[in-house]
Amino acid sequence: MKLELTGHNYQYAAEQIMTVLFPGEKPVYGPVGPEDEDWARIRLSVGGTYAVAVTVLHRAGKETRGESRVRACRLEEDALARDRLGQRIVKLSFFKAAAALTGQRPPWGALTGIRPARLVTQMLQRGMTEGQAVAEMTRELFVSPRRARLCLSTARASRKAEADLLPEDISLYVGIPFCPTRCAYCSFVSASVEKTFSMMEPYVDALIGEISLMGESVRRLGLRIKSVYMGGGTPTTLPAPLMARLLNALETHFDLSSLAEYTVEAGRPDTVTAEKLAVLKAYGVSRVSINPQTMEDRVLQAIGRRHTAADVLRAMDIAQKSGIPHINMDLIAGLPEDTAAGFRRSLDSCIALAPANITVHTLALKKGARILLDGLAVPPAEAVREMLDYAEERLTAAGYAPYYLYRQKYMSGNFENVGWSLPGAEGLYNIYIMEELHTILSLGAGGSTKMVDPRRGYIERYFNCKFAKEYMEKPEKLRADRQHFETFMGGLMASYRAGEGSRADG
């Protein structure tokens, strides 16, 4: 599709709407000529009273028009606000024209970001009532009422979690990049243990070195660890003695006395043993994830898992007997070979086990995943919608409420991932990282440290080496990252101690 931009250069904003309503289309930029059949002219103009975005869209012999505006005075705040508002009205004008032409209304309307609940949180912080916030989502941004209610519920959980944070609070992420086998949908940096078993112990040695290094920095800066999340990969791929060494190092080098939550992913049921969970319990782990993704054996086989639904039941029995208080289960809507009926059976099986949390993901077709490489067939968007609608109805009836959500690129049907929990069992780390409430210090290969100044909404990131072998061979990278962390967090803590405002000011 030819895109002609006038008065702005918000290419990404236009492309986001184009990919939602015209999947598979590729943008071509430049002036529209007589020979062009499918095109959009997107103009942004600023007058004395309003800034106005107008899109004229021509496709398959039909032509439609969309318009959105904002008061011009709002563009005078700062460059960031000007860009944000400009992109918003450009997207809305394109969305209106495209929706009029196609007759489609995606579930998330004109929203394309990964954290839609943050918009509702910001509306509530500005003094809107919950009803006003939902109305703005549905009327102004064309979000479906069902999705707007999801945002409201997760915004409530976010505000509750934020109210319990202190300026010095941070969380830890610890990455274990090993799995028994690689799932067909996976694009994470992880290695099959069959090929890398000999690397596990030296990797943990290197990780303990980083734990020691960063633990010293955290103590010196006066930071407090609020939550720990060990993910991957599948952390319980580690043998019990190696896991014990790692947890002991975390306990030795970080003060964990203020933890509100300690999570370890035991995602693959074929890695769960009573011995490993006893180690987790002994070191204070309060939450584990046992993630079947599906309870349909045929689907498990299609995605490359070497376990059955019966193995999930066995792992859940071990976890429930371990004494670890909170258990999460993950399901994915839209997996290859699955059907709406199969997903319903999977969800009903999980609810019957009464875990504290059930996270319902939507399949994201990521580059590098075997689903795309092998051309595996996946359910159509309407089947995925049916799965998610059933999940909302059944989980709500069973006493679960949504507490965090996020979206990803290339999701089936342009839907979302939602974490559901029983009252009081919300996964706090998930809220902290998705709502960007405080700094997440990431340790291990593939980790991404996100340093957050919540008062200004300012974020800086740095990335650990992507692969385990590279991570082990480049200690100088860890020292450079440590300096970056100390500079940012030292400045942030100094400003708090100097009385330059509190978390609530932002």
Side-chain angles (χ1 to χ4, degrees):
M1 179 182 290
K2 176 68 73 69
L3 300 179
E4 179 182 297
L5 310 182
T6 304
H8 68 97
N9 193 33
Y10 297 137
Q11 293 184 359
Y12 185 60
E15 288 176 19
Q16 286 178 307
I17 296 299
M18 186 188 69
T19 56
V20 169
L21 285 168
F22 303 107
E25 282 278 5
K26 301 294 183 184
V28 177
Y29 292 95
V32 172
E35 71 283 1
D36 293 313
E37 296 181 359
D38 297 337
W39 50 262
R41 288 189 170 108
I42 311 170
R43 177 183 295 272
L44 177 63
S45 56
V46 182
T49 305
Y50 289 102
V52 181
V54 175
T55 294
V56 177
L57 177 62
H58 185 94
R59 183 179 173 85
K62 293 175 61 178
E63 190 166 298
T64 54
R65 183 180 186 276
E67 178 180 318
S68 184
R69 61 179 60 198
V70 65
R71 288 195 174 273
C73 60
R74 294 187 62 189
L75 302 181
E76 299 173 0
E77 298 173 15
D78 56 54
L80 183 62
R82 183 164 57 251
D83 272 349
R84 185 172 61 247
L85 290 169
Q87 291 183 59
R88 175 173 170 169
I89 61 175
V90 162
K91 284 202 293 186
L92 281 170
S93 73
F94 194 180
F95 176 85
K96 291 175 182 178
L101 190 143
T102 64
Q104 297 179 35
R105 185 64 63 85
W108 285 102
L111 291 185
T112 54
I114 66 173
R115 297 178 178 85
R118 290 190 67 186
L119 292 176
V120 175
T121 300
Q122 291 163 1
M123 293 173 193
L124 298 177
Q125 289 171 339
R126 294 198 301 266
M128 281 189 181
T129 65
E130 291 186 347
Q132 289 170 333
V134 169
E136 178 155 331
M137 292 286 281
T138 55
R139 295 174 191 168
E140 302 299 323
L141 299 172
F142 306 99
V143 176
S144 73
R146 185 178 293 235
R147 266 68 195 180
R149 290 192 298 271
L150 279 178
C151 284
L152 178 59
S153 180
T154 54
R156 288 172 182 155
S158 173
R159 299 187 81 194
K160 180 181 177 182
E162 185 175 19
D164 191 42
L165 292 175
L166 297 176
E168 60 269 26
D169 285 343
I170 67 168
S171 289
L172 296 182
Y173 175 84
V174 183
I176 307 297
F178 303 104
C179 276
T181 59
R182 190 172 181 84
C183 296
Y185 54 80
C186 184
S187 64
F188 288 109
V189 178
S190 61
S192 166
V193 167
E194 295 169 321
K195 300 177 181 178
T196 59
F197 182 81
S198 63
M199 195 184 294
M200 293 173 68
E201 188 163 356
Y203 174 79
V204 170
D205 290 341
L207 180 55
I208 289 174
E210 186 184 13
I211 288 169
S212 173
L213 191 72
M214 297 310 297
E216 181 183 342
S217 295
V218 166
R219 287 194 305 274
R220 186 162 58 246
L221 292 166
L223 303 175
R224 189 175 82 145
I225 308 300
K226 188 70 172 177
S227 72
V228 175
Y229 191 102
M230 188 180 294
T234 305
T236 44
T237 303
L238 297 181
L242 205 52
M243 176 65 78
R245 274 192 61 211
L246 178 56
L247 295 180
N248 184 67
L250 285 166
E251 187 178 84
T252 299
H253 296 288
F254 290 99
D255 180 358
L256 304 181
S257 61
S258 298
L259 278 186
E261 178 182 273
Y262 198 157
T263 300
V264 174
E265 286 189 1
R268 295 285 291 263
D270 41 345
T271 69
V272 175
T273 66
E275 181 187 13
K276 291 179 185 179
L277 292 196
V279 169
L280 301 186
K281 179 69 165 58
Y283 280 94
V285 170
S286 60
R287 189 171 180 268
V288 295
S289 290
I290 293 177
N291 303 332
Q293 315 304 7
T294 175
M295 296 293 280
E296 299 282 291
D297 286 343
R298 179 170 54 88
V299 181
L300 287 169
Q301 185 176 12
I303 63 176
R305 290 217 168 189
R306 294 183 182 173
H307 65 81
T308 65
D311 294 323
V312 176
L313 299 178
R314 176 195 60 80
M316 280 296 293
D317 182 60
I318 293 171
Q320 289 170 332
K321 289 177 178 175
S322 72
I324 295 172
H326 291 163
I327 301 172
N328 172 76
M329 299 184 79
D330 279 10
L331 291 175
I332 300 178
L335 287 172
E337 300 297 328
D338 207 359
T339 63
F343 180 85
R344 289 195 295 270
R345 289 191 293 268
S346 293
L347 180 65
D348 290 344
S349 296
C350 290
I351 291 174
L353 295 169
N357 310 88
I358 297 178
T359 305
V360 180
H361 296 272
T362 301
L363 179 67
L365 298 171
K366 299 177 182 177
K367 296 176 182 178
R370 189 165 59 82
I371 288 177
L372 288 180
L373 296 175
D374 292 357
L376 301 180
V378 297
E382 277 309 307
V384 177
R385 182 191 294 271
E386 188 178 340
M387 295 173 187
L388 297 177
D389 288 351
Y390 181 78
E392 180 181 6
E393 293 161 8
R394 282 287 288 120
L395 287 164
T396 300
Y400 293 83
Y403 72 94
Y404 89 108
L405 72 86
Y406 66 102
R407 302 175 65 217
Q408 294 168 275
K409 289 183 178 179
Y410 316 118
M411 297 188 83
S412 294
N414 193 38
F415 292 113
E416 67 284 325
N417 305 317
V418 182
W420 297 78
S421 78
L422 295 173
E426 294 83 3
L428 293 173
Y429 175 88
N430 292 327
I431 298 175
Y432 299 152
I433 191 168
M434 281 302 148
E435 300 305 311
E436 297 175 329
L437 298 184
H438 68 198
T439 292
I440 308 291
L441 171 58
S442 292
L443 310 172
S448 168
T449 290
K450 183 185 293 186
M451 299 175 291
V452 179
D453 181 345
R455 300 166 305 167
R456 295 187 295 151
Y458 178 73
I459 294 171
E460 286 186 20
R461 294 175 174 84
Y462 66 79
F463 301 88
N464 278 8
C465 294
K466 189 174 182 179
F467 298 103
K469 188 172 186 297
E470 181 187 21
Y471 170 81
M472 292 186 288
E473 293 174 349
K474 293 190 175 181
E476 69 278 4
K477 174 72 165 62
L478 299 181
R479 290 191 290 271
D481 290 343
R482 179 194 196 188
Q483 185 58 53
H484 191 176
F485 180 82
E486 289 191 353
T487 299
F488 183 99
M489 295 305 296
L492 182 61
M493 289 300 100
S495 70
Y496 276 122
R497 290 166 188 145
E500 295 179 9
S502 66
R503 170 179 291 276
D505 293 338

